[in-house]
Amino acid sequence: MITRIRALHRELAADDATFELVYTHCEIVWAIAEQLIRDRLLAVDADLVRAGCLAHDVGVHLLNGAAYIRHGILGEELLRERGFPAEVARFCGHHTGVGLTRDDVERQQLPLPPGDYLAETPEERLVMYADKFHSKTDPPVFLTAATFTARIRRFGDGHAARFAGMVDEYGEPDLAALAARFGHPLT
Ligand SMILES: [Fe+2]
């Protein structure tokens, strides 16, 4: 499964730099999730979480100028078409922000079909949470919980509160060692 996911990133990425940026981000999200599973003794299927972390942003390669927020549904569609199990494909469409509701889609007029895009299973929730601590900016950076909270507040206090609830539940990952290992600054 892991090999197939990596090969798909390789196949779809526009160039080597994009492959490196996106796939390294996915590996970092797994490193964060793995740390949380270990430190918090989380009762999740670790192999499924790993597949979800590595696959969650595969739709970024398919944007072709479309709004970034569409990467989730594009990735989910593609993985289903390519015969990946639905439980893996779902990570793509269910990791954005701290969970997008139908109400968010309507009120913010997001370019998505009306519906809920919430992380539902324990594995989906963990991938969504771990993803918030690293950003594929140029240069890529690790984000503390405080930095991410400041970012998400723009989308409303409800989102910031939902994230705070997850920080309470999972704890904040230790990012210093990961920042050193991957050579991305911690902001
Ligand atoms: Fe991501």
Side-chain angles (χ1 to χ4, degrees), residues 46-65:
D47 288 336
L48 181 58
V49 171
R50 185 176 183 199
C53 290
L54 296 178
H56 80 282
D57 267 348
V58 75
V60 168
H61 305 300
L62 305 169
L63 283 170
N64 240 323

Side-chain angles (χ1 to χ4, degrees), residues 18 20 24 31 35 38 41 46 50 77 85 102-103 105-107 114 142 176-177 187:
T18 312
E20 284 302 329
T24 302
Q35 184 198 103
R38 197 178 50 229
L41 305 174
R50 185 176 183 199
E77 226 171 71
R102 175 181 286 266
D103 187 56
V105 174
E106 281 168 9
R107 276 192 304 128
F142 284 89
T187 58

Side-chain angles (χ1 to χ4, degrees), residues 51-158:
C53 290
L54 296 178
H56 80 282
D57 267 348
V58 75
V60 168
H61 305 300
L62 305 169
L63 283 170
N64 240 323
Y68 183 76
I69 199 153
R70 290 183 54 78
H71 76 280
I73 51 172
L74 292 172
E76 181 163 349
E77 226 171 71
L78 182 88
L79 287 189
R80 286 176 190 268
E81 276 168 23
R82 295 290 186 98
F84 282 82
E87 60 175 4
V88 174
R90 272 185 54 92
F91 286 101
C92 299
H94 301 80
H95 75 269
T96 299
V98 285
L100 279 178
T101 62
R102 175 181 286 266
D103 187 56
D104 292 322
V105 174
E106 281 168 9
R107 276 192 304 128
Q108 299 173 43
Q109 299 184 316
L110 302 175
L112 295 172
D116 288 318
Y117 299 89
L118 297 166
E120 286 166 11
T121 65
E123 287 80 9
E124 287 168 8
R125 295 186 75 244
L126 178 58
V127 173
M128 179 177 80
Y129 181 66
D131 181 45
K132 307 294 92 93
F133 295 94
H134 183 262
S135 177
K136 302 180 291 294
T137 41
D138 184 17
V141 291
F142 284 89
L143 307 175
T144 63
T147 306
F148 182 75
T149 303
R151 283 193 183 189
I152 196 148
R153 203 164 295 253
R154 282 180 302 178
F155 300 100
D157 287 342

Side-chain angles (χ1 to χ4, degrees), residues 148-172:
F148 182 75
T149 303
R151 283 193 183 189
I152 196 148
R153 203 164 295 253
R154 282 180 302 178
F155 300 100
D157 287 342
H159 288 257
R162 241 185 278 164
F163 181 63
M166 297 191 88
V167 175
D168 278 349
E169 180 182 344
Y170 293 106
E172 192 168 350

